[in-house]
Amino acid sequence: MENLSNIGTIKEILSKHGFTFSKALGQNFLVNPSVCPRMAEMCGADKNTGVIEIGPGIGVLTNELAKTAKKVVAIELDKRLLPVLNETLSDHINVKVINGDIMKINLHKVIENELPNMKVVVCANLPYYITSPVIMRLLEENLPVTALTVMVQKEAGQRICANVGTRLGGALTVAVNYYSKPKLLFNVSAGSFMPAPKVDSCVIRLDITNEPTVNVKSSKMFFKVVKGAFYQRRKTLSNSLSSALEYNKKTINSILDKLSIPQNARAEQLKMEEFKKLADEIYFLEKGN
Ligand code: SAM
């Protein structure tokens, strides 16, 4: 169905199906007609590509993706939207809607069954209440996916795309940079949604690298150290790490000295390579060599 981002069309469809928005499910639907074609174009989908969409809503982005991609698999949690999607996506034979929770569904199986032998990308206007867990799940699961193009709250997008080692960076910035090269694509105003959220949004793309961007001894230890370093981000690295990892400060300080990292440095000042060295040192310490 065309004109799916037109407010009049949306209201008509929603009232026909007796649909009311769920705040708890992060239901803010796009009503700005320029956003979805841009996302569909910039997510890297083409006629050889399969796209996984998270939370199709009434199908406004799905509709654009179906025009560009070989196939779209849209995973929607809210059962009430299934009859709506059935109607709005009836023009497209290359769309499969799955009723499921993106945090629970087996994505390896979905890709294997629905998008075999295709390059796969993810494209979504994410439900904001689970932005970080969804992004981390998609990155950590080692899926055969080349890029994630997602709409997130503007502040979250700026943090994710900040340079590691700068004030805006946090544990999520480091984690995302471990698996991918993030890029902020464009901003989207709060007025582009119905109902309008309190904050603006932005679209970011994470190009997933074939190998992690730093070569660590143990990725588990790397993430433990990153989390520990940002555990009390206003405190010094030495304080934050010793309380989070339960080491005495003397041990942490001697590792910092060995790596020429000032004892009063803060987590936000460290680069990827320094997190790697720190994680490897603590890994060796725990291994006993
Ligand atoms: N794509 C639509 C658009 O751009 O207008 C809707 C986006 S809306 C921000 C988020 C969508 O995600 C809603 O349709 C909501 O029901 C769905 N959703 C929320 N939690 C979900 C989950 N755990 N798994 C899958 N879909 C979810």
Side-chain angles (χ1 to χ4, degrees):
M1 185 185 279
E2 287 302 323
N3 288 330
L4 266 182
S5 50
N6 176 290
I7 295 198
T9 314
I10 297 174
K11 282 187 174 160
E12 198 180 305
I13 296 170
L14 295 182
S15 93
K16 184 171 152 195
H17 289 268
F19 182 86
T20 48
F21 293 97
S22 158
K23 215 174 167 184
L25 289 182
Q27 288 177 342
N28 301 94
F29 293 171
L30 269 165
V31 292
N32 177 339
S34 70
V35 176
C36 294
R38 275 181 94 183
M39 281 183 81
E41 190 198 322
M42 296 173 101
C43 74
D46 58 27
K47 286 293 166 208
N48 301 312
T49 306
V51 182
I52 296 179
E53 188 192 356
I54 300 150
I58 65 161
V60 60
L61 176 60
T62 328
N63 198 54
E64 289 303 324
L65 291 169
K67 290 187 216 162
T68 332
K70 181 164 185 178
K71 184 170 176 187
V72 183
V73 176
I75 300 162
E76 174 58 60
L77 179 60
D78 190 346
K79 271 199 174 76
R80 300 173 306 150
L81 286 165
L82 303 184
V84 179
L85 289 164
N86 210 11
E87 179 180 339
T88 57
L89 299 173
S90 59
D91 296 345
H92 302 288
I93 52 162
N94 60 342
V95 176
K96 164 105 184 222
V97 176
I98 298 179
N99 181 218
D101 183 339
I102 188 60
M103 292 309 294
K104 295 188 182 145
I105 200 161
N106 184 333
L107 288 166
H108 282 281
K109 275 238 157 68
V110 169
I111 294 173
E112 200 180 302
N113 295 340
E114 302 294 339
L115 307 170
N117 308 318
M118 287 179 219
K119 178 186 133 191
V120 179
V121 299
V122 171
C123 186
N125 172 9
L126 286 181
Y128 293 169
Y129 73 103
I130 42 170
T131 300
S132 310
V134 170
I135 291 179
M136 283 317 295
R137 174 163 193 221
L138 294 169
L139 292 173
E140 279 170 351
E141 283 214 7
N142 202 13
L143 298 164
V145 163
T146 57
L148 316 177
T149 301
V150 288
M151 173 115 61
V152 297
Q153 281 189 356
K154 192 172 169 183
E155 199 186 279
Q158 285 170 338
R159 278 189 174 282
I160 291 170
C161 297
N163 288 325
V164 174
T166 62
R167 209 173 52 81
L168 262 186
L172 183 61
T173 320
V174 179
V176 163
N177 275 275
Y178 179 77
Y179 294 106
S180 70
K181 300 252 177 257
K183 189 174 175 194
L184 204 152
L185 296 182
F186 60 93
N187 293 326
V188 180
S189 69
S192 301
F193 300 88
M194 182 174 84
K198 288 201 177 71
V199 290
D200 289 336
S201 296
C202 67
V203 177
I204 61 174
R205 194 177 71 216
L206 313 181
D207 288 314
I208 297 173
T209 52
N210 290 333
E211 297 289 331
T213 54
V214 282
N215 183 8
V216 294
K217 293 286 165 220
S218 151
S219 57
K220 201 168 158 207
M221 178 57 79
F222 179 78
F223 286 107
K224 192 170 157 190
V225 166
V226 170
K227 232 171 152 182
F230 284 100
Y231 173 63
Q232 294 166 302
R233 63 176 292 148
R234 297 281 155 246
K235 296 209 168 164
T236 63
L237 198 56
S238 160
N239 278 328
S240 189
L241 274 176
S242 53
S243 25
L245 303 183
E246 297 179 347
Y247 276 109
N248 64 45
K249 269 182 74 175
K250 212 170 142 204
T251 310
I252 297 291
N253 283 342
S254 68
I255 293 175
L256 293 175
D257 288 348
K258 183 175 172 192
L259 300 176
S260 306
I261 298 172
Q263 290 182 8
N264 64 354
R266 286 178 167 66
E268 64 198 34
Q269 294 170 296
L270 259 55
K271 301 266 192 271
M272 290 299 282
E273 203 51 40
E274 288 168 313
F275 278 115
K276 170 219 145 53
K277 286 182 185 158
L278 203 49
D280 285 354
E281 284 298 325
I282 298 177
Y283 172 82
F284 288 133
L285 184 76
E286 291 200 357
K287 278 238 152 194
N289 54 15

PDB file of all heavy atoms in Angstrom, residues 1 3 20 33 41 44 48 67 81 85 96 105 121 130-131 156 158 163 181 185 196 206 208 211 231 264-265 269 276:
ATOM      1  N   MET A   1       0.843  -1.194   0.000  1.00  0.00           N
ATOM      2  CA  MET A   1       0.000   0.000   0.000  1.00  0.00           C
ATOM      3  C   MET A   1       0.881   1.249   0.000  1.00  0.00           C
ATOM      4  O   MET A   1       1.831   1.323   0.776  1.00  0.00           O
ATOM      5  CB  MET A   1      -0.895  -0.015   1.247  1.00  0.00           C
ATOM      6  CG  MET A   1      -1.899   1.106   1.289  1.00  0.00           C
ATOM      7  SD  MET A   1      -2.807   1.114   2.861  1.00  0.00           S
ATOM      8  CE  MET A   1      -4.031  -0.119   2.570  1.00  0.00           C
ATOM      9  N   ASN A   3       1.530   5.555   0.295  1.00  0.00           N
ATOM     10  CA  ASN A   3       1.117   6.617   1.239  1.00  0.00           C
ATOM     11  C   ASN A   3       1.024   6.162   2.691  1.00  0.00           C
ATOM     12  O   ASN A   3       0.243   6.703   3.460  1.00  0.00           O
ATOM     13  CB  ASN A   3      -0.259   7.196   0.846  1.00  0.00           C
ATOM     14  CG  ASN A   3      -0.140   8.027  -0.388  1.00  0.00           C
ATOM     15  OD1 ASN A   3       0.907   8.629  -0.636  1.00  0.00           O
ATOM     16  ND2 ASN A   3      -1.189   8.041  -1.187  1.00  0.00           N
ATOM     17  N   THR A  20      -4.810   0.896  19.123  1.00  0.00           N
ATOM     18  CA  THR A  20      -4.353   2.010  19.969  1.00  0.00           C
ATOM     19  C   THR A  20      -2.871   1.792  20.278  1.00  0.00           C
ATOM     20  O   THR A  20      -2.425   0.659  20.439  1.00  0.00           O
ATOM     21  CB  THR A  20      -5.136   2.049  21.306  1.00  0.00           C
ATOM     22  OG1 THR A  20      -5.140   0.714  21.846  1.00  0.00           O
ATOM     23  CG2 THR A  20      -6.553   2.554  21.121  1.00  0.00           C
ATOM     24  N   PRO A  33       7.335  11.260   5.173  1.00  0.00           N
ATOM     25  CA  PRO A  33       7.503  10.426   3.976  1.00  0.00           C
ATOM     26  C   PRO A  33       8.926  10.343   3.441  1.00  0.00           C
ATOM     27  O   PRO A  33       9.249   9.448   2.658  1.00  0.00           O
ATOM     28  CB  PRO A  33       6.587  11.095   2.939  1.00  0.00           C
ATOM     29  CG  PRO A  33       6.315  12.453   3.456  1.00  0.00           C
ATOM     30  CD  PRO A  33       6.493  12.432   4.944  1.00  0.00           C
ATOM     31  N   GLU A  41      17.414   3.096   1.114  1.00  0.00           N
ATOM     32  CA  GLU A  41      18.523   3.284   0.170  1.00  0.00           C
ATOM     33  C   GLU A  41      19.881   3.146   0.871  1.00  0.00           C
ATOM     34  O   GLU A  41      20.804   2.513   0.344  1.00  0.00           O
ATOM     35  CB  GLU A  41      18.394   4.678  -0.445  1.00  0.00           C
ATOM     36  CG  GLU A  41      19.329   4.907  -1.612  1.00  0.00           C
ATOM     37  CD  GLU A  41      19.493   6.377  -1.917  1.00  0.00           C
ATOM     38  OE1 GLU A  41      18.502   7.132  -1.808  1.00  0.00           O
ATOM     39  OE2 GLU A  41      20.643   6.755  -2.234  1.00  0.00           O
ATOM     40  N   GLY A  44      21.950  -0.462   2.370  1.00  0.00           N
ATOM     41  CA  GLY A  44      22.761  -1.381   1.564  1.00  0.00           C
ATOM     42  C   GLY A  44      21.947  -2.505   0.937  1.00  0.00           C
ATOM     43  O   GLY A  44      22.509  -3.454   0.399  1.00  0.00           O
ATOM     44  N   ASN A  48      19.811  -8.441  -4.452  1.00  0.00           N
ATOM     45  CA  ASN A  48      20.403  -9.701  -3.990  1.00  0.00           C
ATOM     46  C   ASN A  48      20.402  -9.801  -2.471  1.00  0.00           C
ATOM     47  O   ASN A  48      20.995 -10.722  -1.912  1.00  0.00           O
ATOM     48  CB  ASN A  48      21.864  -9.808  -4.456  1.00  0.00           C
ATOM     49  CG  ASN A  48      21.957  -9.754  -5.956  1.00  0.00           C
ATOM     50  OD1 ASN A  48      21.214 -10.453  -6.635  1.00  0.00           O
ATOM     51  ND2 ASN A  48      22.827  -8.889  -6.472  1.00  0.00           N
ATOM     52  N   LYS A  67      10.544  -2.852  -1.868  1.00  0.00           N
ATOM     53  CA  LYS A  67      10.777  -2.363  -3.241  1.00  0.00           C
ATOM     54  C   LYS A  67      12.246  -2.496  -3.629  1.00  0.00           C
ATOM     55  O   LYS A  67      12.583  -2.664  -4.790  1.00  0.00           O
ATOM     56  CB  LYS A  67      10.387  -0.884  -3.343  1.00  0.00           C
ATOM     57  CG  LYS A  67       8.906  -0.622  -3.244  1.00  0.00           C
ATOM     58  CD  LYS A  67       8.680   0.856  -3.549  1.00  0.00           C
ATOM     59  CE  LYS A  67       7.577   1.443  -2.726  1.00  0.00           C
ATOM     60  NZ  LYS A  67       7.611   2.908  -2.667  1.00  0.00           N
ATOM     61  N   LEU A  81      -0.895  -6.040  15.385  1.00  0.00           N
ATOM     62  CA  LEU A  81      -0.481  -5.423  14.123  1.00  0.00           C
ATOM     63  C   LEU A  81      -0.488  -6.410  12.953  1.00  0.00           C
ATOM     64  O   LEU A  81      -0.353  -6.005  11.798  1.00  0.00           O
ATOM     65  CB  LEU A  81       0.915  -4.799  14.281  1.00  0.00           C
ATOM     66  CG  LEU A  81       0.938  -3.505  15.104  1.00  0.00           C
ATOM     67  CD1 LEU A  81       2.355  -3.145  15.537  1.00  0.00           C
ATOM     68  CD2 LEU A  81       0.317  -2.350  14.319  1.00  0.00           C
ATOM     69  N   LEU A  85      -0.740  -5.422   9.042  1.00  0.00           N
ATOM     70  CA  LEU A  85       0.364  -5.675   8.099  1.00  0.00           C
ATOM     71  C   LEU A  85      -0.097  -6.530   6.923  1.00  0.00           C
ATOM     72  O   LEU A  85       0.358  -6.351   5.792  1.00  0.00           O
ATOM     73  CB  LEU A  85       1.535  -6.355   8.837  1.00  0.00           C
ATOM     74  CG  LEU A  85       2.292  -5.434   9.808  1.00  0.00           C
ATOM     75  CD1 LEU A  85       3.144  -6.247  10.767  1.00  0.00           C
ATOM     76  CD2 LEU A  85       3.158  -4.447   9.030  1.00  0.00           C
ATOM     77  N   LYS A  96       7.935 -11.439   4.542  1.00  0.00           N
ATOM     78  CA  LYS A  96       7.413 -12.417   5.489  1.00  0.00           C
ATOM     79  C   LYS A  96       7.363 -11.742   6.862  1.00  0.00           C
ATOM     80  O   LYS A  96       8.368 -11.218   7.332  1.00  0.00           O
ATOM     81  CB  LYS A  96       8.365 -13.627   5.513  1.00  0.00           C
ATOM     82  CG  LYS A  96       8.173 -14.544   6.686  1.00  0.00           C
ATOM     83  CD  LYS A  96       7.466 -15.807   6.270  1.00  0.00           C
ATOM     84  CE  LYS A  96       7.194 -16.693   7.462  1.00  0.00           C
ATOM     85  NZ  LYS A  96       7.440 -18.084   7.211  1.00  0.00           N
ATOM     86  N   ILE A 105      13.852 -14.519  19.652  1.00  0.00           N
ATOM     87  CA  ILE A 105      13.771 -15.332  18.436  1.00  0.00           C
ATOM     88  C   ILE A 105      15.158 -15.847  18.012  1.00  0.00           C
ATOM     89  O   ILE A 105      16.176 -15.173  18.250  1.00  0.00           O
ATOM     90  CB  ILE A 105      13.119 -14.474  17.319  1.00  0.00           C
ATOM     91  CG1 ILE A 105      12.556 -15.341  16.229  1.00  0.00           C
ATOM     92  CG2 ILE A 105      14.057 -13.434  16.763  1.00  0.00           C
ATOM     93  CD1 ILE A 105      11.532 -14.617  15.368  1.00  0.00           C
ATOM     94  N   VAL A 121      21.192  -7.804   5.632  1.00  0.00           N
ATOM     95  CA  VAL A 121      21.371  -6.596   6.447  1.00  0.00           C
ATOM     96  C   VAL A 121      20.166  -6.446   7.373  1.00  0.00           C
ATOM     97  O   VAL A 121      19.115  -7.031   7.124  1.00  0.00           O
ATOM     98  CB  VAL A 121      21.525  -5.306   5.586  1.00  0.00           C
ATOM     99  CG1 VAL A 121      22.739  -5.375   4.683  1.00  0.00           C
ATOM    100  CG2 VAL A 121      20.253  -5.021   4.774  1.00  0.00           C
ATOM    101  N   ILE A 130      14.461  -0.892  24.127  1.00  0.00           N
ATOM    102  CA  ILE A 130      15.453  -1.974  24.104  1.00  0.00           C
ATOM    103  C   ILE A 130      16.585  -1.699  23.091  1.00  0.00           C
ATOM    104  O   ILE A 130      17.195  -2.633  22.566  1.00  0.00           O
ATOM    105  CB  ILE A 130      14.825  -3.356  23.813  1.00  0.00           C
ATOM    106  CG1 ILE A 130      13.768  -3.275  22.705  1.00  0.00           C
ATOM    107  CG2 ILE A 130      14.291  -4.014  25.052  1.00  0.00           C
ATOM    108  CD1 ILE A 130      13.302  -4.644  22.211  1.00  0.00           C
ATOM    109  N   THR A 131      16.868  -0.417  22.848  1.00  0.00           N
ATOM    110  CA  THR A 131      17.910  -0.084  21.861  1.00  0.00           C
ATOM    111  C   THR A 131      19.236  -0.810  22.122  1.00  0.00           C
ATOM    112  O   THR A 131      19.727  -1.542  21.253  1.00  0.00           O
ATOM    113  CB  THR A 131      18.186   1.444  21.862  1.00  0.00           C
ATOM    114  OG1 THR A 131      16.987   2.122  21.525  1.00  0.00           O
ATOM    115  CG2 THR A 131      19.266   1.807  20.865  1.00  0.00           C
ATOM    116  N   ALA A 156      21.443   8.660  21.996  1.00  0.00           N
ATOM    117  CA  ALA A 156      22.016   7.306  21.970  1.00  0.00           C
ATOM    118  C   ALA A 156      22.873   7.139  20.716  1.00  0.00           C
ATOM    119  O   ALA A 156      23.981   6.586  20.770  1.00  0.00           O
ATOM    120  CB  ALA A 156      20.898   6.264  21.997  1.00  0.00           C
ATOM    121  N   GLN A 158      24.405   9.482  19.020  1.00  0.00           N
ATOM    122  CA  GLN A 158      25.642  10.276  19.131  1.00  0.00           C
ATOM    123  C   GLN A 158      26.664   9.568  20.014  1.00  0.00           C
ATOM    124  O   GLN A 158      27.858   9.592  19.740  1.00  0.00           O
ATOM    125  CB  GLN A 158      25.307  11.653  19.718  1.00  0.00           C
ATOM    126  CG  GLN A 158      24.632  12.553  18.696  1.00  0.00           C
ATOM    127  CD  GLN A 158      24.078  13.828  19.323  1.00  0.00           C
ATOM    128  OE1 GLN A 158      23.820  13.882  20.523  1.00  0.00           O
ATOM    129  NE2 GLN A 158      23.888  14.845  18.509  1.00  0.00           N
ATOM    130  N   ASN A 163      33.752   8.989  19.001  1.00  0.00           N
ATOM    131  CA  ASN A 163      35.056   8.319  18.938  1.00  0.00           C
ATOM    132  C   ASN A 163      35.376   7.730  20.305  1.00  0.00           C
ATOM    133  O   ASN A 163      35.163   8.380  21.327  1.00  0.00           O
ATOM    134  CB  ASN A 163      36.155   9.309  18.563  1.00  0.00           C
ATOM    135  CG  ASN A 163      36.054   9.707  17.106  1.00  0.00           C
ATOM    136  OD1 ASN A 163      35.675   8.894  16.255  1.00  0.00           O
ATOM    137  ND2 ASN A 163      36.352  10.971  16.817  1.00  0.00           N
ATOM    138  N   LYS A 181      32.104  -0.721  12.401  1.00  0.00           N
ATOM    139  CA  LYS A 181      32.473   0.695  12.202  1.00  0.00           C
ATOM    140  C   LYS A 181      31.169   1.479  12.168  1.00  0.00           C
ATOM    141  O   LYS A 181      30.391   1.368  11.221  1.00  0.00           O
ATOM    142  CB  LYS A 181      33.199   0.872  10.858  1.00  0.00           C
ATOM    143  CG  LYS A 181      34.470   0.056  10.747  1.00  0.00           C
ATOM    144  CD  LYS A 181      35.690   0.964  10.832  1.00  0.00           C
ATOM    145  CE  LYS A 181      36.980   0.177  10.808  1.00  0.00           C
ATOM    146  NZ  LYS A 181      37.649   0.012  12.075  1.00  0.00           N
ATOM    147  N   LEU A 185      24.158   8.616  10.110  1.00  0.00           N
ATOM    148  CA  LEU A 185      23.735   8.927   8.741  1.00  0.00           C
ATOM    149  C   LEU A 185      22.948  10.233   8.655  1.00  0.00           C
ATOM    150  O   LEU A 185      23.299  11.126   7.909  1.00  0.00           O
ATOM    151  CB  LEU A 185      22.888   7.779   8.163  1.00  0.00           C
ATOM    152  CG  LEU A 185      23.595   6.431   7.989  1.00  0.00           C
ATOM    153  CD1 LEU A 185      22.656   5.408   7.365  1.00  0.00           C
ATOM    154  CD2 LEU A 185      24.846   6.555   7.132  1.00  0.00           C
ATOM    155  N   ALA A 196       4.295  11.872  18.674  1.00  0.00           N
ATOM    156  CA  ALA A 196       5.654  12.435  18.685  1.00  0.00           C
ATOM    157  C   ALA A 196       6.326  12.150  20.024  1.00  0.00           C
ATOM    158  O   ALA A 196       5.740  12.414  21.071  1.00  0.00           O
ATOM    159  CB  ALA A 196       5.585  13.931  18.435  1.00  0.00           C
ATOM    160  N   LEU A 206      25.895   0.583  11.310  1.00  0.00           N
ATOM    161  CA  LEU A 206      27.058  -0.130  11.846  1.00  0.00           C
ATOM    162  C   LEU A 206      27.499  -1.138  10.803  1.00  0.00           C
ATOM    163  O   LEU A 206      26.763  -2.094  10.517  1.00  0.00           O
ATOM    164  CB  LEU A 206      26.686  -0.848  13.152  1.00  0.00           C
ATOM    165  CG  LEU A 206      25.907  -0.039  14.204  1.00  0.00           C
ATOM    166  CD1 LEU A 206      25.647  -0.886  15.446  1.00  0.00           C
ATOM    167  CD2 LEU A 206      26.664   1.219  14.597  1.00  0.00           C
ATOM    168  N   ILE A 208      29.526  -4.100   9.928  1.00  0.00           N
ATOM    169  CA  ILE A 208      30.158  -5.135  10.741  1.00  0.00           C
ATOM    170  C   ILE A 208      31.463  -5.608  10.101  1.00  0.00           C
ATOM    171  O   ILE A 208      31.507  -5.893   8.897  1.00  0.00           O
ATOM    172  CB  ILE A 208      29.167  -6.292  10.958  1.00  0.00           C
ATOM    173  CG1 ILE A 208      27.976  -5.724  11.739  1.00  0.00           C
ATOM    174  CG2 ILE A 208      29.807  -7.459  11.712  1.00  0.00           C
ATOM    175  CD1 ILE A 208      26.822  -6.621  11.925  1.00  0.00           C
ATOM    176  N   GLU A 211      36.415  -9.421  11.301  1.00  0.00           N
ATOM    177  CA  GLU A 211      37.063  -9.819  12.553  1.00  0.00           C
ATOM    178  C   GLU A 211      36.845  -8.691  13.553  1.00  0.00           C
ATOM    179  O   GLU A 211      36.651  -7.553  13.141  1.00  0.00           O
ATOM    180  CB  GLU A 211      38.588  -9.944  12.338  1.00  0.00           C
ATOM    181  CG  GLU A 211      39.009 -11.000  11.354  1.00  0.00           C
ATOM    182  CD  GLU A 211      38.796 -12.404  11.893  1.00  0.00           C
ATOM    183  OE1 GLU A 211      38.855 -12.570  13.128  1.00  0.00           O
ATOM    184  OE2 GLU A 211      38.548 -13.317  11.089  1.00  0.00           O
ATOM    185  N   TYR A 231      32.128   1.394  35.019  1.00  0.00           N
ATOM    186  CA  TYR A 231      31.216   1.095  36.120  1.00  0.00           C
ATOM    187  C   TYR A 231      30.925   2.355  36.940  1.00  0.00           C
ATOM    188  O   TYR A 231      29.800   2.656  37.288  1.00  0.00           O
ATOM    189  CB  TYR A 231      31.869  -0.010  36.962  1.00  0.00           C
ATOM    190  CG  TYR A 231      31.199  -0.376  38.248  1.00  0.00           C
ATOM    191  CD1 TYR A 231      29.921  -0.914  38.265  1.00  0.00           C
ATOM    192  CD2 TYR A 231      31.885  -0.223  39.465  1.00  0.00           C
ATOM    193  CE1 TYR A 231      29.331  -1.280  39.470  1.00  0.00           C
ATOM    194  CE2 TYR A 231      31.292  -0.593  40.662  1.00  0.00           C
ATOM    195  CZ  TYR A 231      30.021  -1.118  40.651  1.00  0.00           C
ATOM    196  OH  TYR A 231      29.442  -1.478  41.833  1.00  0.00           O
ATOM    197  N   ASN A 264      45.319   8.167  37.257  1.00  0.00           N
ATOM    198  CA  ASN A 264      44.111   8.987  37.431  1.00  0.00           C
ATOM    199  C   ASN A 264      43.315   9.166  36.129  1.00  0.00           C
ATOM    200  O   ASN A 264      42.409   9.988  36.045  1.00  0.00           O
ATOM    201  CB  ASN A 264      44.469  10.353  38.033  1.00  0.00           C
ATOM    202  CG  ASN A 264      45.342  11.161  37.086  1.00  0.00           C
ATOM    203  OD1 ASN A 264      45.760  10.657  36.032  1.00  0.00           O
ATOM    204  ND2 ASN A 264      45.626  12.401  37.445  1.00  0.00           N
ATOM    205  N   ALA A 265      43.649   8.375  35.093  1.00  0.00           N
ATOM    206  CA  ALA A 265      42.892   8.460  33.825  1.00  0.00           C
ATOM    207  C   ALA A 265      41.456   7.991  34.078  1.00  0.00           C
ATOM    208  O   ALA A 265      41.182   7.262  35.034  1.00  0.00           O
ATOM    209  CB  ALA A 265      43.550   7.575  32.774  1.00  0.00           C
ATOM    210  N   GLN A 269      38.781   8.206  28.499  1.00  0.00           N
ATOM    211  CA  GLN A 269      39.993   8.677  27.816  1.00  0.00           C
ATOM    212  C   GLN A 269      40.742   7.558  27.097  1.00  0.00           C
ATOM    213  O   GLN A 269      41.660   7.807  26.337  1.00  0.00           O
ATOM    214  CB  GLN A 269      40.931   9.322  28.849  1.00  0.00           C
ATOM    215  CG  GLN A 269      40.349  10.579  29.450  1.00  0.00           C
ATOM    216  CD  GLN A 269      41.181  11.074  30.636  1.00  0.00           C
ATOM    217  OE1 GLN A 269      41.297  10.405  31.657  1.00  0.00           O
ATOM    218  NE2 GLN A 269      41.760  12.240  30.473  1.00  0.00           N
ATOM    219  N   LYS A 276      42.244  -3.045  25.037  1.00  0.00           N
ATOM    220  CA  LYS A 276      42.728  -4.389  24.667  1.00  0.00           C
ATOM    221  C   LYS A 276      43.908  -4.799  25.557  1.00  0.00           C
ATOM    222  O   LYS A 276      43.918  -5.894  26.125  1.00  0.00           O
ATOM    223  CB  LYS A 276      43.144  -4.397  23.174  1.00  0.00           C
ATOM    224  CG  LYS A 276      43.875  -5.663  22.755  1.00  0.00           C
ATOM    225  CD  LYS A 276      45.002  -5.358  21.789  1.00  0.00           C
ATOM    226  CE  LYS A 276      46.212  -6.226  21.938  1.00  0.00           C
ATOM    227  NZ  LYS A 276      46.100  -7.644  21.915  1.00  0.00           N
TER     228      LYS A 276
END
